[in-house]
Amino acid sequence: MVRLHTINTLRCNRKDVDEGRLSLEATKVDVREESAFDREFLVHLLPTLEWPSLRDAARAVGVTLPDALDDALKTDEAFLRALHHILFDVHVVEGSLRCVESGQVFPISDGRPNMMLPEEVV
Amino acid sequence: AQARRAAKRDKRREKKRRAGPAAPQVKATPTPVAIVETDGVQTPAIEREHVWRVYEAVAPQWHGTRYKAWPRVAAFCQEHCLGGAVVADVGCGNGKMAPAATARGARVLACDVSARLVAIAAREHASKHYDALVADALRLPWRSGVADAALHIAVLHHLSTPERRSRAIAETTRVLKVGGVALFYAWARDQRRGRSGHAFDAPDVLVPFHLREHGPHWDPSACDAAPAHAVRDAAKRATVVQRYCHVYDEGELA
């Protein structure tokens, strides 16, 4: 199953795109029990998150995240726990990822994204 | 003793007689292959036919026979795949490295070009922190600098040109953050210290794989995925496919 954190690490790797930001559409989601919370790991992970994409992906699964990740939030225990749950316990089973620049669509089926590109656009 | 030997010989002959006329000779040892120059951008035909299509055909049997992470890979995981690390497993196959890579709490992002192998990896390791997806090692789908460590096990020997190997290495280092560590593992040409004890005849070879039509891993749907070059060995009840491998000289990857 593909977690929202994993989705946040992905980008469209076509040669004709700049950032390759992906927009999530989720038609089937599996929300699992809260996994073990590792505060230090999450704080270490925060700078690597693409926040606008994460916020949009969360919206696609029915969750609202703040517009920006400010310093107050980074020390808010309750917020960090909630963020951990969103990143690691929400699995997209069916859906797709669409490159906002090129329109390239990558399907997610049975929890597995297919990020292969047609030969012409690599 | 002579009588026993004679009985054994007769049994062998009877078995051969029952098997019928000899099937066409199927290459059972690695054979050299010539690499055709390509423009370097598209996936070369030899990789499509003798890597991509082969793994799609053999995935279930491959999975049934590959289940232990190699000692040096396990040691790398012990050191670099710790709790709090994001690890990329490039060319993950059936997810063989998942237990070793996730044992200490690392979060693993895995990919392979074979959709069937990725399906197996995802199914086998559904309860681990291991997200597997379908992607090409030369076009990794991850943003730059997202991984603390990377595994690249038995992938480089399936790339047919120096340029493609460089690109695979470059893509992996792109995905690593500054200071990140990657382990690359590829087949050596000189196997004299290995189990087989020989050296390959040439740097580019086709290595046969017997896809058995029986046994615990037999999946009849594999027939649909058989590559064009596959040859049936009736006597062995197997389809023989040829895996393309480039075997490395010492120092070649440097």
Side-chain angles (χ1 to χ4, degrees), chain B residues 210-226:
Chain B
H210 284 74
L211 181 56
R212 294 188 289 268
E213 293 155 16
H214 55 93
H217 317 297
W218 170 233
D219 179 353
S221 73
C223 287
D224 312 328

Side-chain angles (χ1 to χ4, degrees), chain B residues 105-144:
Chain B
R107 321 300 180 137
V108 183
L109 315 168
C111 76
D112 200 279
V113 79
S114 162
R116 289 185 97 204
L117 282 173
V118 170
I120 290 169
R123 183 194 71 214
E124 291 290 308
H125 304 291
S127 61
K128 296 185 185 68
H129 209 114
Y130 192 86
D131 284 359
L133 49 87
V134 185
D136 186 344
L138 269 73
R139 297 141 197 160
L140 291 176
W142 294 304
R143 290 187 283 113
S144 304

